[in-house]
Amino acid sequence: MNDERRYSQAELRAIFERAAERQEAASRAEAASAGELTLGELQEIGAASGIDPAHIAAAVRELAMPTPVTKGVLGYPTEVRRTRFVPHAISDEAWEQMVAELRRTFHQPGMAGGVGRVREWTTQARRRHGAAVHVMLEPEAGGTRITVEQSLRGSSLGFIIAGGAYAVMALLFGIFLATGIFESSDAFVPVMFAALAVVMFGGSRLGFGLYADRQEKRFEHALDRLDLIARDAETTPAAALSAPAAPQESGRIDLDSLPENEDEQARSGRSRTRS
């Protein structure tokens, strides 16, 4: 780099402005690392980068929420829950679109309802897992909290109890065999119950784990779609949704606008000539 170069007045002004911007950005980054920025300052930084301040506020709210994890016991998932905060109020039209999207995502008509300003949508419990998916929209300051959850506790506890019963039977028959109550030829009985316990625990845990993983991805996809619907509804002008249809032209015939026939034209011509 040539240090002997001379800069024009316009270049000097641009250089100093850029240097001031870099110094301000560095100061803000240092303050952010120390946790000294307010929400308003974060929104200003985001706006300078082209980020909507509403999304900055939504991100802050989401970070303040409990981390959405899949709860479990003994390796079995008992609850799958995902939560998202959208910086928009949900109108009736947007809620109708969300219900239609949820029906497509979960392949069930479900049941939509609500209490006050809280809206809910619930699927029908299926025989395979006996668990319904529940979606709830709760208005909060600055937006709406959307929660998608499913409880697997009943099904998981059922498999745990069944596996535990097989394990107890294997232990009892093993004791009977060791004390001589059963003959050695009956050794296959405790082995059979032990194998059933292993299959019940291992197979059901694997199956439920895969199912929970699929549900997590499905819930995230549903939240993405609902977030998109909320944003589209917010940006669509209300007048465009309620604009009246263009008036149709009347089907009546204007008799005065019809051309006269030849006899009438000739008659009118003679009357004009006589006068």
Side-chain angles (χ1 to χ4, degrees):
M1 182 175 179
N2 186 10
D3 294 336
E4 300 299 327
R5 177 188 169 185
R6 295 183 177 275
Y7 299 92
S8 64
Q9 292 294 331
E11 289 175 329
L12 288 173
R13 185 163 47 254
I15 290 172
F16 283 117
E17 288 179 357
R18 180 55 182 162
E21 291 176 358
R22 289 173 58 88
Q23 181 175 355
E24 183 179 0
S27 300
R28 289 183 174 181
E30 183 179 358
S33 63
E36 298 176 355
L37 289 183
T38 64
L39 175 59
E41 292 171 339
L42 290 173
Q43 290 175 323
E44 290 180 3
I45 297 174
S49 303
I51 302 176
D52 191 342
H55 292 294
I56 298 292
V60 172
R61 295 292 296 271
E62 286 185 359
L63 290 177
M65 295 179 182
T67 304
V69 297
T70 301
K71 298 180 180 180
V73 56
L74 297 179
Y76 284 84
T78 58
E79 183 183 31
V80 182
R81 176 185 296 178
R82 290 296 180 270
T83 303
R84 177 100 37 108
F85 180 83
V86 295
H88 311 289
I90 308 302
S91 64
D92 293 338
E93 293 79 6
W95 173 237
E96 292 178 0
Q97 297 179 24
M98 289 181 175
V99 170
E101 180 62 36
L102 291 171
R103 288 171 176 170
R104 286 191 295 267
T105 300
F106 295 100
H107 309 291
Q108 285 200 46
M111 185 187 314
V115 178
R117 297 173 59 196
V118 177
R119 293 184 170 96
E120 296 179 310
W121 182 82
T122 307
T123 65
Q124 184 179 2
R126 291 181 174 179
R127 182 177 301 178
R128 181 181 177 186
H129 295 287
V133 177
H134 183 224
V135 181
M136 183 166 56
L137 279 68
E138 301 173 280
E140 294 186 359
T144 305
R145 180 197 297 260
I146 305 177
T147 302
V148 185
E149 59 185 354
Q150 182 181 26
S151 176
L152 304 176
R153 180 177 299 275
S155 300
S156 296
L157 291 179
F159 279 98
I160 292 174
I161 293 172
Y166 284 129
V168 171
M169 294 297 292
L171 179 61
L172 289 177
F173 281 105
I175 294 174
F176 293 158
L177 184 64
T179 56
I181 298 177
F182 284 173
E183 298 180 357
S184 59
S185 58
D186 297 326
F188 74 93
V189 177
V191 174
M192 178 188 65
F193 280 110
L196 289 174
V198 171
V199 171
M200 181 63 65
F201 276 120
S204 59
R205 280 181 59 181
L206 178 61
F208 268 89
L210 294 175
Y211 176 79
D213 291 340
R214 289 196 302 269
Q215 289 300 88
E216 290 173 5
K217 296 177 181 179
R218 181 177 293 182
F219 288 3
E220 290 293 341
H221 171 74
L223 288 172
D224 290 340
R225 297 296 302 172
L226 298 183
D227 191 354
L228 180 61
I229 292 173
R231 281 187 280 139
D232 289 344
E234 188 75 13
T235 56
T236 302
L241 296 176
S242 59
Q248 297 181 353
E249 296 183 358
S250 174
R252 297 181 178 179
I253 300 176
D254 186 2
L255 297 178
D256 296 335
S257 64
L258 295 176
E260 298 178 351
N261 55 32
E262 295 180 358
D263 294 339
E264 291 178 350
Q265 291 179 358
R267 191 179 302 110
S268 63
R270 287 195 300 269
S271 64
R272 286 195 296 269
T273 302
R274 290 174 183 175
S275 61

